[in-house]
Amino acid sequence: MSRRTKDEDFDTKIDVLRTRIKDSDDLNVQDAVFDKRTLMDLYHLASKGVIDALGGSVCTGKEANIFKAIVGEKELALKIYRISTSNFNAMQDYLHGDPRFGNVKGTKRAIVAAWTRKEFRNLTRAEEVGVAVPHPIAMRENILVMDLIGNGENVAPPLKDVELETDDAKRIFEKIVEYISVLYNRAQLVHADLSEFNILYDEGEPVIIDMGQSVTLDH
């Protein structure tokens, strides 16, 4: 296949992906997120049936943007780490102490891809021991696909934005302490950046997110 034919094939694939995107203003304002490689990875996920379409933006974090995605009638959460603006030094500190990823070297994209794999594996490990986290569905390079916490327009808010009665606050605190213990004793993980910013409040229960910052006990 000639270079021109390959470029035309790429453009065709991107056009197909763009026709699947809903509320596509996000593509116009988030240029740092949707680079050429990320668009191709999104196309791959769409071609495998993992997602059918992208929805609107949920939030923007320090390292990643969260979007809604759709497959069939189900809404998912799509976390896309920004290659151009992620804090690679901080990521490397978390990765190099982890025996699963300690040998990761190379480009910024390779580091971010390793970080995404780490978050996927940590979510899986936490879920297996009964900790409430978003169910991980798939990942590819800098893209992580998870269950959306909440429903429709009512995406679960972070705990920092929730006002709780004293009894509810005590109950939530005790549940979080229980999850910390379970993560440590059964999953062999410690969430190294746990706060009210990365705990969601869903139907009266806490859900722990940002599991990429979790480290193994031998870190």
Side-chain angles (χ1 to χ4, degrees), residues 48-84:
K48 295 296 184 181
V50 177
I51 60 174
D52 291 331
L54 292 181
S57 176
V58 174
C59 66
T60 299
K62 291 183 294 184
E63 314 290 346
N65 291 57
I66 310 294
F67 296 89
K68 290 182 180 178
I70 301 165
V71 60
E73 300 298 319
K74 184 178 181 180
E75 285 193 312
L76 305 175
L78 200 69
K79 187 172 188 177
I80 304 178
Y81 281 98
R82 298 185 298 274
I83 302 297
S84 60

Side-chain angles (χ1 to χ4, degrees), residues 83 95 104-115 117 141:
I83 302 297
L95 290 169
V104 173
K105 299 178 182 177
T107 64
K108 291 180 177 180
R109 184 172 291 276
I111 293 168
V112 173
W115 181 269
R117 291 197 304 275
E141 297 294 333

Side-chain angles (χ1 to χ4, degrees), residues 10-29:
F10 170 79
D11 290 339
T12 300
K13 290 179 178 180
I14 294 305
D15 286 341
V16 171
L17 176 62
R18 287 179 184 276
T19 64
R20 301 184 183 204
I21 295 173
K22 299 180 179 180
D23 301 327
S24 59
D25 286 347
D26 289 310
L27 281 182
N28 298 324
V29 300

Side-chain angles (χ1 to χ4, degrees), residues 2-215:
S2 69
R3 174 64 178 271
R4 181 175 179 180
T5 302
K6 288 182 179 179
D7 288 342
E8 289 173 348
D9 183 56
F10 170 79
D11 290 339
T12 300
K13 290 179 178 180
I14 294 305
D15 286 341
V16 171
L17 176 62
R18 287 179 184 276
T19 64
R20 301 184 183 204
I21 295 173
K22 299 180 179 180
D23 301 327
S24 59
D25 286 347
D26 289 310
L27 281 182
N28 298 324
V29 300
Q30 300 291 349
D31 292 337
V33 178
F34 295 98
D35 59 24
K36 181 175 180 179
R37 180 75 172 271
T38 299
L39 284 170
M40 284 301 292
D41 289 331
L42 285 170
Y43 175 82
H44 176 87
L45 291 169
S47 68
K48 295 296 184 181
V50 177
I51 60 174
D52 291 331
L54 292 181
S57 176
V58 174
C59 66
T60 299
K62 291 183 294 184
E63 314 290 346
N65 291 57
I66 310 294
F67 296 89
K68 290 182 180 178
I70 301 165
V71 60
E73 300 298 319
K74 184 178 181 180
E75 285 193 312
L76 305 175
L78 200 69
K79 187 172 188 177
I80 304 178
Y81 281 98
R82 298 185 298 274
I83 302 297
S84 60
T85 61
S86 291
N87 187 337
F88 305 103
N89 290 332
M91 286 182 172
Q92 285 181 313
D93 288 342
Y94 280 99
L95 290 169
H96 287 172
D98 189 323
R100 300 171 298 173
F101 301 96
N103 294 325
V104 173
K105 299 178 182 177
T107 64
K108 291 180 177 180
R109 184 172 291 276
I111 293 168
V112 173
W115 181 269
T116 309
R117 291 197 304 275
K118 180 174 185 278
E119 183 162 9
F120 184 91
R121 290 179 64 175
N122 286 350
L123 285 168
T124 301
R125 189 184 288 196
E127 186 178 59
E128 287 174 347
V129 298
V131 174
V133 296
H135 171 64
I137 295 171
M139 60 81 52
R140 184 173 176 85
E141 297 294 333
N142 60 319
I143 303 169
L144 178 62
V145 186
M146 305 169 285
D147 277 353
L148 181 70
I149 305 301
N151 184 23
E153 297 300 319
N154 300 315
V155 176
L159 195 58
K160 71 179 182 67
D161 293 335
V162 179
E163 293 187 9
L164 297 171
E165 298 293 334
T166 301
D167 288 346
D168 285 335
K170 183 176 183 294
R171 177 179 58 81
I172 294 298
F173 173 78
E174 291 173 348
K175 177 59 73 171
I176 292 169
V177 170
E178 176 188 336
Y179 284 158
I180 291 171
S181 175
V182 171
L183 278 175
Y184 184 92
N185 290 297
R186 297 183 59 194
Q188 306 294 294
L189 291 173
V190 174
H191 196 306
D193 191 33
L194 190 63
S195 74
E196 68 274 22
F197 287 85
N198 44 35
I199 300 172
L200 302 181
Y201 185 74
D202 183 43
E203 297 184 347
E205 296 296 331
V207 179
I208 295 177
I209 61 171
D210 293 340
M211 287 293 293
Q213 280 104 334
S214 294
V215 298

